[in-house]
Each structure stands twice: as C-alpha cells, then as structure tokens.
Amino acid sequence: DAKTTQPPSMDCAEGRAANLPCNHSTISGNEYVYWYRQIHSQGPQYIIHGLKNNETNEMASLIITEDRKSSTLILPHATLRDTAVYYCIVSGGSGNTGKLIFGQGTTLQVKP
Amino acid sequence: DAGVTQSPTHLIKTRGQQVTLRCSPKSGHDTVSWYQQALGQGPQFIFQYYEEEERQRGNFPDRFSGHQFPNYSSELNVNALLLGDSALYLCASSRIQGAPGNTIYFGEGSWLTVV
C-alpha cells in the first residue's frame, strides 16, 4: 500500500502558485519523498525529490516539514499545461533500489 | 540524450497469446523497473532488474517475466494474456549507485489491449 495521503483533487488559477500537500506520517529515516506528475495517457514525469531538506529545481519546490511527516509541492506560477495527476511517493529504505509505490494522486486542474 | 524509450507504443493481442515489450534505459542508467497501469489507477510495480537479474518483484503472477540484457535494455514478457492485462505498461530506469534516492525516469509506455 502507498505510504502517502493526498487530496483527490485541487483547483488553481493560472499564474498563481499551486501548493499540493502530502501526508507521509509513517516515513522512516532513510526514505525519500518523490513527486511525479502524469498527463493523460503519458508516462509519469519526474518533478523533484528530497530526503529532509527543502529542494528547488526549474520545475518546482519541495518543502518537507521538520518532522518529515508531511510535505508540499509548490508550482510557483501554474499554467494550463500543469493540469495533471500529481503523485507523492515515499521510497527508499534498506534494500530498496528504487521501487515506487503509487497511490491515487491529486488531480490538479489549472483554470484560466 | 535520449530518455527512457519503449516499444511498441500500442499493440492489440488476443486472449491466450503472449506479448513482449521492450525498454531502453536512459543513458548511464543500469537498473530497469516495469510497472502496469490500468485505466484510472496509479502505476503498479511489477519487477526490477539489475545486473541481468530480477531484484525485486511486486504482486504479479509468474505469467509476467522479464529479462535484462548486457547493454541494460530490458524486456517484459506476459504469457497467456487475459482481458485484465489490458493496461499501460511503463518502464523506469535509474542508476544503482547512490540508491536509494536516485532520480528515476519513466518512458512513455506501451499500451496493450487484449481482446
């Protein structure tokens, strides 16, 4: 079973920041938080991942709480092309070389 | 730099037949994983290959098998196809060095329809 809980859907106005929350209260010390998104009928697109520090790249920022039990993915200026299903995944641990367990994700609808 | 490439993109098979799907990992990657994604669901992990051996396996029957070649490319084979095997099959690649915590990239997938 997935180790994360996400809201099933969210809306965001075009040009505004999209903040997607994720709960992972059972995360263990050596597990990473990964974010992917999937646009209909395409393969999942890697966005960002982190262990405990906040991370930023050209696509998004990842904010992980100090206790690591939750995180937020931030898309700073959402566009219509950001409409997709966003998956928050916890992965790692001893012996795990990259197996990802997907949940249902959050469907983000960016509106004009 | 080509990313993860998969072939074929679409195919239709009849119940009881066998299918082989192919994957070439991203350049520099040596680990390949396969996922099945049914319509409306998130991807489900099938198995992972490294050094030409199956290293991890999800909850899939033995009808699902795979292979990894010396050049790190991989095949997914499904025997005795069932209607329920209709899905998007995704390949993902990563580097074993530094795992866990490496970036994992997905291909665009192969759409399999079983009729």
mmCIF file of all heavy atoms in Angstrom, chain A residues 30 32 34 36 38 40-44 46 49 87 91-93 95-104, chain B residues 31 35 37 40-45 48 56-57 88 90 94 96 99-108 111:
data_model
loop_
_atom_site.group_PDB
_atom_site.id
_atom_site.type_symbol
_atom_site.label_atom_id
_atom_site.label_comp_id
_atom_site.label_asym_id
_atom_site.label_seq_id
_atom_site.Cartn_x
_atom_site.Cartn_y
_atom_site.Cartn_z
ATOM 1 N N ASN A 30 15.367 6.801 6.333
ATOM 2 C CA ASN A 30 16.128 6.731 5.093
ATOM 3 C C ASN A 30 15.233 6.663 3.861
ATOM 4 O O ASN A 30 15.661 6.204 2.807
ATOM 5 C CB ASN A 30 17.092 5.552 5.126
ATOM 6 C CG ASN A 30 16.377 4.254 5.422
ATOM 7 O OD1 ASN A 30 15.176 4.245 5.637
ATOM 8 N ND2 ASN A 30 17.106 3.159 5.412
ATOM 9 N N TYR A 32 12.912 8.579 0.991
ATOM 10 C CA TYR A 32 12.832 9.836 0.276
ATOM 11 C C TYR A 32 11.385 10.139 -0.105
ATOM 12 O O TYR A 32 10.567 9.231 -0.269
ATOM 13 C CB TYR A 32 13.672 9.773 -1.000
ATOM 14 C CG TYR A 32 15.161 9.778 -0.767
ATOM 15 C CD1 TYR A 32 15.818 8.649 -0.281
ATOM 16 C CD2 TYR A 32 15.919 10.908 -1.032
ATOM 17 C CE1 TYR A 32 17.180 8.656 -0.066
ATOM 18 C CE2 TYR A 32 17.290 10.926 -0.830
ATOM 19 C CZ TYR A 32 17.912 9.796 -0.343
ATOM 20 O OH TYR A 32 19.258 9.805 -0.132
ATOM 21 N N TYR A 34 9.305 11.561 -3.202
ATOM 22 C CA TYR A 34 9.362 11.817 -4.636
ATOM 23 C C TYR A 34 8.028 12.414 -5.100
ATOM 24 O O TYR A 34 6.962 12.056 -4.601
ATOM 25 C CB TYR A 34 9.554 10.517 -5.427
ATOM 26 C CG TYR A 34 10.921 9.891 -5.376
ATOM 27 C CD1 TYR A 34 11.307 9.093 -4.307
ATOM 28 C CD2 TYR A 34 11.819 10.079 -6.425
ATOM 29 C CE1 TYR A 34 12.566 8.506 -4.286
ATOM 30 C CE2 TYR A 34 13.074 9.485 -6.406
ATOM 31 C CZ TYR A 34 13.439 8.698 -5.337
ATOM 32 O OH TYR A 34 14.678 8.122 -5.320
ATOM 33 N N TYR A 36 5.950 13.019 -8.784
ATOM 34 C CA TYR A 36 5.816 12.818 -10.223
ATOM 35 C C TYR A 36 4.469 13.390 -10.646
ATOM 36 O O TYR A 36 3.551 13.528 -9.838
ATOM 37 C CB TYR A 36 5.839 11.330 -10.583
ATOM 38 C CG TYR A 36 7.202 10.701 -10.508
ATOM 39 C CD1 TYR A 36 7.715 10.263 -9.290
ATOM 40 C CD2 TYR A 36 7.983 10.553 -11.645
ATOM 41 C CE1 TYR A 36 8.979 9.697 -9.216
ATOM 42 C CE2 TYR A 36 9.243 9.979 -11.578
ATOM 43 C CZ TYR A 36 9.728 9.557 -10.361
ATOM 44 O OH TYR A 36 10.980 9.012 -10.293
ATOM 45 N N GLN A 38 1.549 13.092 -14.044
ATOM 46 C CA GLN A 38 1.195 12.315 -15.223
ATOM 47 C C GLN A 38 0.056 13.010 -15.944
ATOM 48 O O GLN A 38 -1.020 13.219 -15.377
ATOM 49 C CB GLN A 38 0.787 10.888 -14.834
ATOM 50 C CG GLN A 38 0.629 9.961 -16.024
ATOM 51 C CD GLN A 38 0.445 8.524 -15.604
ATOM 52 O OE1 GLN A 38 -0.061 8.237 -14.522
ATOM 53 N NE2 GLN A 38 0.833 7.602 -16.476
ATOM 54 N N HIS A 40 -2.559 12.891 -19.032
ATOM 55 C CA HIS A 40 -3.355 11.790 -19.570
ATOM 56 C C HIS A 40 -2.627 11.032 -20.672
ATOM 57 O O HIS A 40 -2.151 11.612 -21.639
ATOM 58 C CB HIS A 40 -4.676 12.329 -20.092
ATOM 59 C CG HIS A 40 -5.583 11.247 -20.601
ATOM 60 N ND1 HIS A 40 -6.069 10.246 -19.785
ATOM 61 C CD2 HIS A 40 -6.066 10.990 -21.830
ATOM 62 C CE1 HIS A 40 -6.834 9.443 -20.500
ATOM 63 N NE2 HIS A 40 -6.848 9.871 -21.749
ATOM 64 N N SER A 41 -2.530 9.712 -20.460
ATOM 65 C CA SER A 41 -2.001 8.787 -21.462
ATOM 66 C C SER A 41 -0.487 8.887 -21.669
ATOM 67 O O SER A 41 0.034 8.272 -22.590
ATOM 68 C CB SER A 41 -2.683 8.968 -22.815
ATOM 69 O OG SER A 41 -4.066 8.750 -22.701
ATOM 70 N N GLN A 42 0.198 9.655 -20.841
ATOM 71 C CA GLN A 42 1.646 9.746 -20.971
ATOM 72 C C GLN A 42 2.318 9.082 -19.771
ATOM 73 O O GLN A 42 1.680 8.816 -18.751
ATOM 74 C CB GLN A 42 2.086 11.205 -21.061
ATOM 75 C CG GLN A 42 1.545 11.930 -22.284
ATOM 76 C CD GLN A 42 2.026 13.365 -22.349
ATOM 77 O OE1 GLN A 42 2.972 13.761 -21.669
ATOM 78 N NE2 GLN A 42 1.373 14.165 -23.179
ATOM 79 N N GLY A 43 3.613 8.826 -19.872
ATOM 80 C CA GLY A 43 4.354 8.269 -18.750
ATOM 81 C C GLY A 43 4.537 9.295 -17.647
ATOM 82 O O GLY A 43 4.519 10.500 -17.895
ATOM 83 N N PRO A 44 4.693 8.863 -16.400
ATOM 84 C CA PRO A 44 4.927 9.798 -15.295
ATOM 85 C C PRO A 44 6.183 10.628 -15.536
ATOM 86 O O PRO A 44 7.213 10.106 -15.951
ATOM 87 C CB PRO A 44 5.090 8.881 -14.086
ATOM 88 C CG PRO A 44 4.381 7.622 -14.449
ATOM 89 C CD PRO A 44 4.610 7.471 -15.920
ATOM 90 N N TYR A 46 9.071 12.952 -13.899
ATOM 91 C CA TYR A 46 9.755 13.279 -12.644
ATOM 92 C C TYR A 46 9.708 14.782 -12.410
ATOM 93 O O TYR A 46 9.939 15.571 -13.332
ATOM 94 C CB TYR A 46 11.204 12.807 -12.707
ATOM 95 C CG TYR A 46 12.066 13.335 -11.577
ATOM 96 C CD1 TYR A 46 12.027 12.747 -10.325
ATOM 97 C CD2 TYR A 46 12.908 14.424 -11.787
ATOM 98 C CE1 TYR A 46 12.808 13.238 -9.291
ATOM 99 C CE2 TYR A 46 13.697 14.914 -10.763
ATOM 100 C CZ TYR A 46 13.647 14.317 -9.510
ATOM 101 O OH TYR A 46 14.422 14.806 -8.498
ATOM 102 N N HIS A 49 12.625 15.396 -5.864
ATOM 103 C CA HIS A 49 12.600 14.523 -4.701
ATOM 104 C C HIS A 49 13.552 15.055 -3.642
ATOM 105 O O HIS A 49 14.452 15.861 -3.952
ATOM 106 C CB HIS A 49 12.913 13.069 -5.066
ATOM 107 C CG HIS A 49 14.351 12.765 -5.373
ATOM 108 N ND1 HIS A 49 14.950 13.113 -6.565
ATOM 109 C CD2 HIS A 49 15.297 12.121 -4.635
ATOM 110 C CE1 HIS A 49 16.197 12.691 -6.556
ATOM 111 N NE2 HIS A 49 16.447 12.087 -5.412
ATOM 112 N N TYR A 87 1.564 12.763 -8.182
ATOM 113 C CA TYR A 87 1.772 11.670 -7.244
ATOM 114 C C TYR A 87 2.903 12.021 -6.268
ATOM 115 O O TYR A 87 3.994 12.405 -6.691
ATOM 116 C CB TYR A 87 2.171 10.388 -7.977
ATOM 117 C CG TYR A 87 1.104 9.800 -8.857
ATOM 118 C CD1 TYR A 87 1.125 9.998 -10.232
ATOM 119 C CD2 TYR A 87 0.085 9.013 -8.316
ATOM 120 C CE1 TYR A 87 0.160 9.429 -11.048
ATOM 121 C CE2 TYR A 87 -0.884 8.443 -9.124
ATOM 122 C CZ TYR A 87 -0.839 8.662 -10.495
ATOM 123 O OH TYR A 87 -1.796 8.102 -11.296
ATOM 124 N N SER A 91 9.769 6.502 -0.904
ATOM 125 C CA SER A 91 10.519 5.345 -1.362
ATOM 126 C C SER A 91 11.918 5.369 -0.791
ATOM 127 O O SER A 91 12.488 6.430 -0.548
ATOM 128 C CB SER A 91 10.590 5.343 -2.896
ATOM 129 O OG SER A 91 11.320 4.230 -3.368
ATOM 130 N N GLY A 92 12.461 4.204 -0.616
ATOM 131 C CA GLY A 92 13.823 4.102 -0.133
ATOM 132 C C GLY A 92 13.919 3.019 0.912
ATOM 133 O O GLY A 92 13.174 2.066 0.903
ATOM 134 N N GLY A 93 14.836 3.193 1.808
ATOM 135 C CA GLY A 93 14.999 2.188 2.842
ATOM 136 C C GLY A 93 15.977 1.111 2.432
ATOM 137 O O GLY A 93 16.347 0.987 1.267
ATOM 138 N N GLY A 95 17.701 -1.959 1.149
ATOM 139 C CA GLY A 95 17.389 -2.951 0.128
ATOM 140 C C GLY A 95 16.487 -2.468 -0.976
ATOM 141 O O GLY A 95 16.219 -3.195 -1.919
ATOM 142 N N ASN A 96 16.033 -1.246 -0.883
ATOM 143 C CA ASN A 96 15.138 -0.733 -1.920
ATOM 144 C C ASN A 96 15.946 0.108 -2.878
ATOM 145 O O ASN A 96 16.490 1.136 -2.504
ATOM 146 C CB ASN A 96 14.026 0.100 -1.291
ATOM 147 C CG ASN A 96 12.992 0.527 -2.322
ATOM 148 O OD1 ASN A 96 13.297 0.708 -3.498
ATOM 149 N ND2 ASN A 96 11.771 0.712 -1.885
ATOM 150 N N THR A 97 16.042 -0.357 -4.107
ATOM 151 C CA THR A 97 16.830 0.371 -5.091
ATOM 152 C C THR A 97 15.954 1.113 -6.073
ATOM 153 O O THR A 97 16.268 1.221 -7.239
ATOM 154 C CB THR A 97 17.747 -0.606 -5.832
ATOM 155 O OG1 THR A 97 16.940 -1.676 -6.355
ATOM 156 C CG2 THR A 97 18.803 -1.154 -4.922
ATOM 157 N N GLY A 98 14.823 1.583 -5.621
ATOM 158 C CA GLY A 98 14.043 2.449 -6.478
ATOM 159 C C GLY A 98 12.656 1.958 -6.806
ATOM 160 O O GLY A 98 12.063 2.403 -7.768
ATOM 161 N N LYS A 99 12.107 1.084 -6.022
ATOM 162 C CA LYS A 99 10.716 0.662 -6.218
ATOM 163 C C LYS A 99 9.804 1.774 -5.747
ATOM 164 O O LYS A 99 9.939 2.250 -4.624
ATOM 165 C CB LYS A 99 10.460 -0.604 -5.419
ATOM 166 C CG LYS A 99 9.008 -1.049 -5.353
ATOM 167 C CD LYS A 99 8.907 -2.272 -4.461
ATOM 168 C CE LYS A 99 7.473 -2.696 -4.243
ATOM 169 N NZ LYS A 99 7.399 -3.882 -3.343
ATOM 170 N N LEU A 100 8.890 2.199 -6.593
ATOM 171 C CA LEU A 100 7.957 3.273 -6.269
ATOM 172 C C LEU A 100 6.559 2.693 -6.111
ATOM 173 O O LEU A 100 6.095 1.946 -6.971
ATOM 174 C CB LEU A 100 7.957 4.326 -7.383
ATOM 175 C CG LEU A 100 9.288 5.016 -7.675
ATOM 176 C CD1 LEU A 100 9.162 5.938 -8.872
ATOM 177 C CD2 LEU A 100 9.759 5.801 -6.453
ATOM 178 N N ILE A 101 5.896 3.037 -5.020
ATOM 179 C CA ILE A 101 4.522 2.599 -4.795
ATOM 180 C C ILE A 101 3.614 3.809 -4.950
ATOM 181 O O ILE A 101 3.642 4.729 -4.126
ATOM 182 C CB ILE A 101 4.359 1.960 -3.407
ATOM 183 C CG1 ILE A 101 5.277 0.743 -3.286
ATOM 184 C CG2 ILE A 101 2.906 1.549 -3.177
ATOM 185 C CD1 ILE A 101 5.264 0.094 -1.921
ATOM 186 N N PHE A 102 2.838 3.806 -6.021
ATOM 187 C CA PHE A 102 1.955 4.929 -6.334
ATOM 188 C C PHE A 102 0.619 4.784 -5.614
ATOM 189 O O PHE A 102 0.082 3.692 -5.503
ATOM 190 C CB PHE A 102 1.679 4.987 -7.842
ATOM 191 C CG PHE A 102 2.840 5.437 -8.678
ATOM 192 C CD1 PHE A 102 3.900 4.587 -8.951
ATOM 193 C CD2 PHE A 102 2.877 6.722 -9.200
ATOM 194 C CE1 PHE A 102 4.969 5.000 -9.730
ATOM 195 C CE2 PHE A 102 3.931 7.147 -9.994
ATOM 196 C CZ PHE A 102 4.978 6.282 -10.249
ATOM 197 N N GLY A 103 0.097 5.916 -5.142
ATOM 198 C CA GLY A 103 -1.274 5.973 -4.658
ATOM 199 C C GLY A 103 -2.169 6.494 -5.762
ATOM 200 O O GLY A 103 -1.871 6.320 -6.943
ATOM 201 N N GLN A 104 -3.261 7.151 -5.359
ATOM 202 C CA GLN A 104 -4.206 7.666 -6.342
ATOM 203 C C GLN A 104 -3.843 9.060 -6.831
ATOM 204 O O GLN A 104 -4.339 9.513 -7.849
ATOM 205 C CB GLN A 104 -5.616 7.683 -5.748
ATOM 206 C CG GLN A 104 -6.167 6.296 -5.467
ATOM 207 C CD GLN A 104 -6.218 5.442 -6.718
ATOM 208 O OE1 GLN A 104 -6.756 5.834 -7.758
ATOM 209 N NE2 GLN A 104 -5.628 4.253 -6.648
ATOM 210 N N THR B 31 19.649 0.165 -14.079
ATOM 211 C CA THR B 31 18.550 -0.520 -13.395
ATOM 212 C C THR B 31 17.243 -0.203 -14.106
ATOM 213 O O THR B 31 16.965 0.961 -14.403
ATOM 214 C CB THR B 31 18.477 -0.066 -11.928
ATOM 215 O OG1 THR B 31 19.722 -0.333 -11.295
ATOM 216 C CG2 THR B 31 17.369 -0.800 -11.184
ATOM 217 N N TYR B 35 6.256 -1.340 -14.677
ATOM 218 C CA TYR B 35 5.020 -1.035 -13.979
ATOM 219 C C TYR B 35 3.833 -1.283 -14.907
ATOM 220 O O TYR B 35 3.944 -1.103 -16.124
ATOM 221 C CB TYR B 35 4.989 0.441 -13.533
ATOM 222 C CG TYR B 35 5.999 0.798 -12.466
ATOM 223 C CD1 TYR B 35 7.346 0.989 -12.790
ATOM 224 C CD2 TYR B 35 5.612 0.947 -11.137
ATOM 225 C CE1 TYR B 35 8.272 1.310 -11.815
ATOM 226 C CE2 TYR B 35 6.540 1.279 -10.154
ATOM 227 C CZ TYR B 35 7.861 1.458 -10.507
ATOM 228 O OH TYR B 35 8.782 1.787 -9.527
ATOM 229 N N GLN B 37 -0.143 -0.032 -15.433
ATOM 230 C CA GLN B 37 -1.112 0.985 -15.045
ATOM 231 C C GLN B 37 -2.439 0.724 -15.742
ATOM 232 O O GLN B 37 -2.569 0.954 -16.946
ATOM 233 C CB GLN B 37 -0.615 2.385 -15.369
ATOM 234 C CG GLN B 37 -1.538 3.485 -14.859
ATOM 235 C CD GLN B 37 -0.961 4.869 -15.020
ATOM 236 O OE1 GLN B 37 -0.092 5.104 -15.855
ATOM 237 N NE2 GLN B 37 -1.429 5.829 -14.210
ATOM 238 N N GLY B 40 -7.393 4.566 -15.013
ATOM 239 C CA GLY B 40 -7.909 5.210 -13.808
ATOM 240 C C GLY B 40 -7.169 4.883 -12.529
ATOM 241 O O GLY B 40 -7.553 5.351 -11.456
ATOM 242 N N GLN B 41 -6.106 4.091 -12.629
ATOM 243 C CA GLN B 41 -5.335 3.692 -11.449
ATOM 244 C C GLN B 41 -3.920 4.236 -11.532
ATOM 245 O O GLN B 41 -3.448 4.625 -12.607
ATOM 246 C CB GLN B 41 -5.279 2.167 -11.348
ATOM 247 C CG GLN B 41 -6.637 1.501 -11.299
ATOM 248 C CD GLN B 41 -7.395 1.851 -10.039
ATOM 249 O OE1 GLN B 41 -6.834 1.894 -8.951
ATOM 250 N NE2 GLN B 41 -8.687 2.138 -10.187
ATOM 251 N N GLY B 42 -3.225 4.227 -10.406
ATOM 252 C CA GLY B 42 -1.817 4.571 -10.416
ATOM 253 C C GLY B 42 -0.995 3.382 -10.876
ATOM 254 O O GLY B 42 -1.454 2.239 -10.857
ATOM 255 N N PRO B 43 0.223 3.620 -11.330
ATOM 256 C CA PRO B 43 1.090 2.513 -11.752
ATOM 257 C C PRO B 43 1.371 1.534 -10.617
ATOM 258 O O PRO B 43 1.529 1.941 -9.475
ATOM 259 C CB PRO B 43 2.378 3.223 -12.192
ATOM 260 C CG PRO B 43 1.961 4.618 -12.514
ATOM 261 C CD PRO B 43 0.859 4.927 -11.554
ATOM 262 N N GLN B 44 1.415 0.233 -10.969
ATOM 263 C CA GLN B 44 1.717 -0.823 -10.009
ATOM 264 C C GLN B 44 3.042 -1.466 -10.374
ATOM 265 O O GLN B 44 3.246 -1.876 -11.522
ATOM 266 C CB GLN B 44 0.603 -1.875 -10.021
ATOM 267 C CG GLN B 44 -0.772 -1.308 -9.663
ATOM 268 C CD GLN B 44 -0.852 -0.825 -8.237
ATOM 269 O OE1 GLN B 44 -0.490 -1.545 -7.309
ATOM 270 N NE2 GLN B 44 -1.310 0.412 -8.045
ATOM 271 N N PHE B 45 3.928 -1.607 -9.398
ATOM 272 C CA PHE B 45 5.254 -2.164 -9.619
ATOM 273 C C PHE B 45 5.170 -3.647 -9.952
ATOM 274 O O PHE B 45 4.548 -4.429 -9.225
ATOM 275 C CB PHE B 45 6.083 -1.950 -8.350
ATOM 276 C CG PHE B 45 7.459 -2.542 -8.378
ATOM 277 C CD1 PHE B 45 8.495 -1.890 -9.036
ATOM 278 C CD2 PHE B 45 7.730 -3.740 -7.734
ATOM 279 C CE1 PHE B 45 9.772 -2.421 -9.041
ATOM 280 C CE2 PHE B 45 9.009 -4.283 -7.738
ATOM 281 C CZ PHE B 45 10.022 -3.614 -8.393
ATOM 282 N N GLN B 48 11.875 -5.451 -10.949
ATOM 283 C CA GLN B 48 13.048 -4.618 -11.221
ATOM 284 C C GLN B 48 14.228 -5.505 -11.575
ATOM 285 O O GLN B 48 14.423 -6.560 -10.967
ATOM 286 C CB GLN B 48 13.394 -3.785 -9.994
ATOM 287 C CG GLN B 48 14.573 -2.836 -10.181
ATOM 288 C CD GLN B 48 14.893 -2.110 -8.881
ATOM 289 O OE1 GLN B 48 15.429 -2.690 -7.951
ATOM 290 N NE2 GLN B 48 14.549 -0.839 -8.833
ATOM 291 N N GLN B 56 13.744 -7.231 -7.365
ATOM 292 C CA GLN B 56 12.545 -7.027 -6.558
ATOM 293 C C GLN B 56 11.349 -7.390 -7.426
ATOM 294 O O GLN B 56 11.403 -7.247 -8.648
ATOM 295 C CB GLN B 56 12.393 -5.564 -6.110
ATOM 296 C CG GLN B 56 13.518 -5.029 -5.246
ATOM 297 C CD GLN B 56 13.217 -3.631 -4.747
ATOM 298 O OE1 GLN B 56 12.416 -3.419 -3.836
ATOM 299 N NE2 GLN B 56 13.852 -2.636 -5.367
ATOM 300 N N ARG B 57 10.283 -7.854 -6.784
ATOM 301 C CA ARG B 57 9.095 -8.227 -7.526
ATOM 302 C C ARG B 57 7.868 -7.790 -6.762
ATOM 303 O O ARG B 57 7.810 -7.929 -5.538
ATOM 304 C CB ARG B 57 9.053 -9.735 -7.771
ATOM 305 C CG ARG B 57 7.960 -10.161 -8.739
ATOM 306 C CD ARG B 57 7.960 -11.658 -8.975
ATOM 307 N NE ARG B 57 6.924 -12.023 -9.948
ATOM 308 C CZ ARG B 57 7.134 -12.142 -11.248
ATOM 309 N NH1 ARG B 57 8.342 -11.936 -11.751
ATOM 310 N NH2 ARG B 57 6.135 -12.458 -12.079
ATOM 311 N N LEU B 88 -1.548 0.179 -19.562
ATOM 312 C CA LEU B 88 -0.345 0.879 -19.995
ATOM 313 C C LEU B 88 0.831 0.270 -19.231
ATOM 314 O O LEU B 88 0.814 0.220 -18.000
ATOM 315 C CB LEU B 88 -0.456 2.371 -19.697
ATOM 316 C CG LEU B 88 0.764 3.240 -20.006
ATOM 317 C CD1 LEU B 88 1.044 3.291 -21.504
ATOM 318 C CD2 LEU B 88 0.558 4.655 -19.454
ATOM 319 N N LEU B 90 4.670 0.537 -18.234
ATOM 320 C CA LEU B 90 5.672 1.582 -18.110
ATOM 321 C C LEU B 90 7.011 0.993 -17.707
ATOM 322 O O LEU B 90 7.085 0.093 -16.867
ATOM 323 C CB LEU B 90 5.247 2.607 -17.058
ATOM 324 C CG LEU B 90 3.978 3.389 -17.370
ATOM 325 C CD1 LEU B 90 3.399 3.990 -16.094
ATOM 326 C CD2 LEU B 90 4.272 4.488 -18.380
ATOM 327 N N SER B 94 17.016 3.857 -13.637
ATOM 328 C CA SER B 94 17.785 4.618 -12.656
ATOM 329 C C SER B 94 19.176 4.016 -12.563
ATOM 330 O O SER B 94 19.481 3.006 -13.205
ATOM 331 C CB SER B 94 17.102 4.573 -11.284
ATOM 332 O OG SER B 94 16.982 3.243 -10.827
ATOM 333 N N ILE B 96 22.010 2.324 -10.076
ATOM 334 C CA ILE B 96 22.066 1.627 -8.792
ATOM 335 C C ILE B 96 22.978 2.359 -7.825
ATOM 336 O O ILE B 96 22.720 2.379 -6.612
ATOM 337 C CB ILE B 96 22.528 0.172 -8.985
ATOM 338 C CG1 ILE B 96 22.220 -0.644 -7.728
ATOM 339 C CG2 ILE B 96 23.997 0.117 -9.314
ATOM 340 C CD1 ILE B 96 20.760 -0.933 -7.551
ATOM 341 N N ALA B 99 21.756 4.587 -4.817
ATOM 342 C CA ALA B 99 20.375 4.253 -4.445
ATOM 343 C C ALA B 99 20.331 3.873 -2.973
ATOM 344 O O ALA B 99 21.280 3.317 -2.454
ATOM 345 C CB ALA B 99 19.861 3.124 -5.315
ATOM 346 N N PRO B 100 19.215 4.075 -2.280
ATOM 347 C CA PRO B 100 18.027 4.785 -2.751
ATOM 348 C C PRO B 100 18.254 6.289 -2.779
ATOM 349 O O PRO B 100 19.232 6.782 -2.244
ATOM 350 C CB PRO B 100 16.984 4.410 -1.705
ATOM 351 C CG PRO B 100 17.765 4.199 -0.457
ATOM 352 C CD PRO B 100 19.075 3.609 -0.887
ATOM 353 N N GLY B 101 17.356 6.961 -3.443
ATOM 354 C CA GLY B 101 17.477 8.413 -3.509
ATOM 355 C C GLY B 101 17.891 8.918 -4.871
ATOM 356 O O GLY B 101 18.045 10.126 -5.062
ATOM 357 N N ASN B 102 18.097 7.989 -5.833
ATOM 358 C CA ASN B 102 18.421 8.433 -7.183
ATOM 359 C C ASN B 102 17.177 8.860 -7.931
ATOM 360 O O ASN B 102 16.063 8.442 -7.614
ATOM 361 C CB ASN B 102 19.106 7.308 -7.951
ATOM 362 C CG ASN B 102 20.551 7.145 -7.544
ATOM 363 O OD1 ASN B 102 21.132 8.045 -6.940
ATOM 364 N ND2 ASN B 102 21.135 6.017 -7.864
ATOM 365 N N THR B 103 17.391 9.658 -8.955
ATOM 366 C CA THR B 103 16.273 10.062 -9.796
ATOM 367 C C THR B 103 15.856 8.892 -10.667
ATOM 368 O O THR B 103 16.694 8.192 -11.241
ATOM 369 C CB THR B 103 16.664 11.256 -10.681
ATOM 370 O OG1 THR B 103 17.119 12.321 -9.837
ATOM 371 C CG2 THR B 103 15.473 11.730 -11.487
ATOM 372 N N ILE B 104 14.574 8.650 -10.762
ATOM 373 C CA ILE B 104 14.008 7.555 -11.536
ATOM 374 C C ILE B 104 13.175 8.157 -12.656
ATOM 375 O O ILE B 104 12.285 8.973 -12.405
ATOM 376 C CB ILE B 104 13.129 6.652 -10.641
ATOM 377 C CG1 ILE B 104 13.959 6.104 -9.480
ATOM 378 C CG2 ILE B 104 12.513 5.524 -11.457
ATOM 379 C CD1 ILE B 104 13.123 5.481 -8.381
ATOM 380 N N TYR B 105 13.472 7.767 -13.881
ATOM 381 C CA TYR B 105 12.787 8.317 -15.044
ATOM 382 C C TYR B 105 11.935 7.245 -15.709
ATOM 383 O O TYR B 105 12.340 6.089 -15.792
ATOM 384 C CB TYR B 105 13.795 8.862 -16.060
ATOM 385 C CG TYR B 105 14.550 10.071 -15.566
ATOM 386 C CD1 TYR B 105 15.833 9.948 -15.041
ATOM 387 C CD2 TYR B 105 13.983 11.333 -15.622
ATOM 388 C CE1 TYR B 105 16.533 11.054 -14.592
ATOM 389 C CE2 TYR B 105 14.681 12.449 -15.172
ATOM 390 C CZ TYR B 105 15.951 12.301 -14.662
ATOM 391 O OH TYR B 105 16.630 13.407 -14.210
ATOM 392 N N PHE B 106 10.781 7.679 -16.205
ATOM 393 C CA PHE B 106 9.853 6.785 -16.876
ATOM 394 C C PHE B 106 9.837 7.030 -18.378
ATOM 395 O O PHE B 106 10.050 8.151 -18.846
ATOM 396 C CB PHE B 106 8.430 6.988 -16.353
ATOM 397 C CG PHE B 106 8.182 6.378 -15.009
ATOM 398 C CD1 PHE B 106 8.575 7.029 -13.847
ATOM 399 C CD2 PHE B 106 7.566 5.140 -14.899
ATOM 400 C CE1 PHE B 106 8.357 6.465 -12.605
ATOM 401 C CE2 PHE B 106 7.328 4.569 -13.654
ATOM 402 C CZ PHE B 106 7.726 5.229 -12.510
ATOM 403 N N GLY B 107 9.539 5.957 -19.110
ATOM 404 C CA GLY B 107 9.246 6.092 -20.518
ATOM 405 C C GLY B 107 7.786 6.451 -20.735
ATOM 406 O O GLY B 107 7.020 6.608 -19.777
ATOM 407 N N GLU B 108 7.394 6.583 -22.004
ATOM 408 C CA GLU B 108 6.017 6.964 -22.325
ATOM 409 C C GLU B 108 5.062 5.773 -22.291
ATOM 410 O O GLU B 108 3.860 5.962 -22.342
ATOM 411 C CB GLU B 108 5.962 7.641 -23.696
ATOM 412 C CG GLU B 108 6.617 9.016 -23.711
ATOM 413 C CD GLU B 108 5.971 9.978 -22.723
ATOM 414 O OE1 GLU B 108 4.742 9.920 -22.547
ATOM 415 O OE2 GLU B 108 6.708 10.784 -22.099
ATOM 416 N N TRP B 111 0.941 0.759 -24.721
ATOM 417 C CA TRP B 111 -0.467 0.472 -24.474
ATOM 418 C C TRP B 111 -0.790 -0.907 -25.022
ATOM 419 O O TRP B 111 -0.652 -1.153 -26.227
ATOM 420 C CB TRP B 111 -1.350 1.504 -25.184
ATOM 421 C CG TRP B 111 -1.472 2.796 -24.462
ATOM 422 C CD1 TRP B 111 -0.811 3.951 -24.725
ATOM 423 C CD2 TRP B 111 -2.334 3.071 -23.341
ATOM 424 N NE1 TRP B 111 -1.199 4.941 -23.837
ATOM 425 C CE2 TRP B 111 -2.129 4.430 -22.979
ATOM 426 C CE3 TRP B 111 -3.255 2.311 -22.612
ATOM 427 C CZ2 TRP B 111 -2.800 5.033 -21.926
ATOM 428 C CZ3 TRP B 111 -3.925 2.915 -21.561
ATOM 429 C CH2 TRP B 111 -3.698 4.259 -21.225
#
